[in-house]
Amino acid sequence: MVRDIIFAFTCTVLAGFFAASTLGTVLNWPDAGAVFAVAVMGCFILRAVYQKRGAEDASDEET
């Protein structure tokens, strides 16, 4: 669990940094890092919700 949280945090920071350094400079889009960081974290949250929902659906089918 903690490992997944650290992985999600690291990916979010790296995505924000790389988006800010590439898109922010090339396309003159200074908030690109924040936008991409939020998008990456949203993907991790959706993945966690879907995995939890899938586990609940599997336990419902057994009963």
Side-chain angles (χ1 to χ4, degrees):
M1 178 76 171
V2 173
R3 187 173 162 188
D4 292 337
I5 293 170
I6 293 171
F7 178 72
F9 174 77
T10 305
C11 287
T12 302
V13 169
L14 289 176
F17 175 75
F18 286 123
S21 63
T22 56
L23 294 175
T25 355
V26 174
L27 298 178
N28 195 21
W29 185 15
D31 294 333
V35 170
F36 276 80
V38 168
V40 168
M41 188 51 68
C43 290
F44 278 110
I45 291 170
L46 286 174
R47 179 176 169 246
V49 168
Y50 286 143
Q51 282 182 346
K52 184 176 181 183
R53 188 174 293 166
E56 289 175 355
D57 289 344
S59 65
D60 289 342
E61 291 174 0
E62 293 175 0
T63 57

